[in-house]
Amino acid sequence: MMNKGKVFLVGAGPGDLKLITVKGMDAITKADVILYDRLLNPQLLMQAKENCEFIYSGKLPDRHILRQETINRLLVEKALEGKIVVRLKGGDPSVFGRVGEEAEELALNEIEYEIVPGITSGIAAAAYAGIPVTHRNYAGSFAVVTAHDQSADGKPSINWAGLAQGVDTIAFYMGIKNLPFICENLIANGKPSETPVILIQWGTYGRQKTLEGTLATIAELAKEQQFLNPAITLVGEIVKLREKLNWFEKKPMYGRQILLARSGVTESRIANKLRDLGADVIEFPKMKAKKERAELPNLSEYIDILFSSPESVDDFFALLKEEKLDIRSIPRNVYGASSKSIAKLAQFGIMASNMPNDIDPNQLLIIGEKNIEQVYENAHYFYTHEMIIDENYFPIYNRLFEDAAIESVIIPSSTAFTTMMTAAKKMNMDPVSFLKEKMLYCMGKKSSNATSKLTNEQITIPEKPTADELLHMMISQGEELTR
């Protein structure tokens, strides 16, 4: 009989990719199956191992994708198949996440499980709006409250008097629909009508949006501005601190929603920097490397060796080890096609550099992926892998594109552009419409030429093809747009 698997009930945090716990990320990387909700950042799933099964179990206000009973049953079934299963929820699974019901079902079926806490949005969204939920001068108590329940009208039945008179800071989850009901009950039970209120939509994302008012005004303001969920409603005098402490929305790239074209699998320095500066970044498409199992050539025949990518470095040294070849058999002149490749070579003790222009291609061995552009006609090529678009992630990208409003596209190379357009076509998106009315940033002439063949949109190229130069230019343009 097959051994039972294990289930991890994981809180994914509120949206910022870096707010997931180390233990939560560890569970994602080990999972065979992930059941995920709507209110987490789908880009966390990009960290899953190849061939992980994704099951969308998200709930929308007007419909349920999977009923809770079905989710419970799937957790048990997948674990009984001997798999590591992750139930991934936005925020913390114990805060309105039904983790109790799921844990009960697993315990009943004697399935091993762990609950991995996450940062709940009532605290995180408030912090990213510049509001600590407690402060010794403003609030010594804090409560999280569901803004809807399972009754026929969905209006929560709670101790309004105790809440209004006994709690300083109140965070209502997903309360936009019932906002008039909430405000009326708090006022009727003793909360002053001038009590400050803030609505925080998409908290901790670059697209975070806020709306301030009071218990007397916020419902009408939300209706006028068509403010929608997902949002937290924060009530209390502590909201006044936002004027002093609003830090996140002052970041230079706050509010920017950017698509970064990808053609590789290594971590993107540009994407990380943009997120640190406050932007939302979608890296598209997700790639995977299909290994090529060819026999290594006789390395002693070459004077120079060029590695086209960090992935090719890893694959090459793995082959050296597999074939029990001495590292000293590598040609004396070693080059990297990019700073990432050079940095990767340094990890193996090889101090490489950029390749000079006067190389004799007849004595040059290029190590790289199968679809690499063959710049040197007479050079010899050894393919370590082939980069393939991972279509398993297309449903996840559909969700990302639905929620985001992308206004800028960064195209690092002509290969990245071609790969992005191929993926868009596979997802039944029109490539021209995909780029329409977006700010396009190309890292050089090759990527610019490839892009201009498909679109008439204006293309901007930084003076130097570096991440720092690109970011400086984008920040400057953003400042001009907001003046």
Side-chain angles (χ1 to χ4, degrees), residues 160 164-165 180-195 197 214-218 235:
W160 288 105
Q165 298 171 35
F181 176 78
I182 290 167
C183 295
E184 288 164 12
N185 275 278
L186 287 175
I187 293 170
N189 284 275
K191 206 79 168 169
S193 60
E194 65 272 17
T195 302
V197 181
T214 65
L215 284 176
T217 64
I218 195 67
V235 180

Side-chain angles (χ1 to χ4, degrees), residues 215-370:
L215 284 176
T217 64
I218 195 67
E220 190 59 36
L221 288 170
K223 184 179 178 182
E224 286 174 6
Q225 298 204 19
Q226 298 181 331
F227 210 90
L228 302 172
N229 284 321
I232 290 291
T233 302
L234 203 68
V235 180
E237 293 298 322
I238 205 163
V239 171
K240 293 176 180 177
L241 278 175
R242 170 176 161 80
E243 188 176 345
K244 294 179 182 176
L245 305 181
N246 182 16
W247 60 275
F248 179 62
E249 293 170 24
K250 292 178 180 177
K251 289 198 168 195
M253 296 294 284
Y254 165 74
R256 299 290 297 271
Q257 296 189 55
I258 299 164
L259 185 75
L260 175 65
R262 295 298 309 276
S263 59
V265 298
T266 54
E267 188 178 60
S268 169
R269 180 168 169 260
I270 293 175
N272 280 334
K273 285 205 165 192
L274 284 166
R275 291 185 183 114
D276 286 343
L277 293 169
D280 279 342
V281 184
I282 297 174
E283 299 176 67
F284 176 72
K286 179 76 164 65
M287 305 295 291
K288 61 181 179 181
K290 180 184 175 184
K291 297 286 188 277
E292 293 286 320
R293 285 301 172 196
E295 187 178 337
L296 272 172
N298 185 352
L299 299 175
S300 63
E301 293 180 4
Y302 304 97
I303 294 175
D304 305 293
I305 185 170
L306 171 68
F307 290 88
S308 69
S309 66
E311 296 90 350
S312 65
V313 176
D314 281 328
D315 291 342
F316 174 79
F317 281 96
L319 273 172
L320 272 189
K321 186 177 180 180
E322 189 179 305
E323 298 190 14
K324 297 180 180 178
L325 291 174
D326 195 308
I327 196 170
R328 288 170 293 187
S329 62
I330 298 173
R332 65 177 181 271
N333 299 326
V334 182
Y335 307 105
S338 65
S339 58
K340 283 185 179 181
S341 302
I342 292 170
K344 177 61 73 171
L345 283 160
Q347 292 178 17
F348 291 92
I350 306 293
M351 298 299 106
S353 62
N354 291 314
M355 195 170 73
N357 295 323
D358 58 351
I359 287 288
D360 179 2
N362 292 294
Q363 293 182 307
L364 170 65
L365 175 64
I366 298 176
I367 309 285
E369 56 268 24
K370 201 170 186 178

Side-chain angles (χ1 to χ4, degrees), residues 6 8 24-36 42 44-56 78 81 83-88 286 288 390-396:
K6 184 174 180 177
F8 292 86
M25 181 57 76
D26 185 59
I28 290 172
T29 60
K30 292 177 179 176
D32 300 308
V33 182
I34 299 178
L35 286 85
Y36 68 101
L44 288 170
L45 302 175
M46 306 294 176
Q47 303 303 316
K49 65 185 182 183
E50 199 171 310
N51 300 320
C52 179
E53 180 184 0
F54 300 126
I55 301 173
Y56 181 52
K78 297 295 182 181
E81 292 173 7
K83 295 177 178 177
I84 295 175
V85 184
V86 168
R87 175 75 171 106
L88 197 59
K286 179 76 164 65
K288 61 181 179 181
D390 194 337
E391 298 185 21
N392 194 33
Y393 285 85
F394 283 178
I396 294 164

Side-chain angles (χ1 to χ4, degrees), residues 150-166:
Q150 297 186 68
S151 60
D153 60 4
K155 292 182 169 58
S157 176
I158 53 181
N159 182 353
W160 288 105
L163 201 60
Q165 298 171 35

Side-chain angles (χ1 to χ4, degrees), residues 145-148 156 171-183 199 222 227-233:
V145 183
T146 181
H148 58 86
F172 290 93
Y173 283 53
M174 305 295 282
I176 302 302
K177 183 179 178 182
N178 286 333
L179 199 52
F181 176 78
I182 290 167
C183 295
L199 307 181
F227 210 90
L228 302 172
N229 284 321
I232 290 291
T233 302

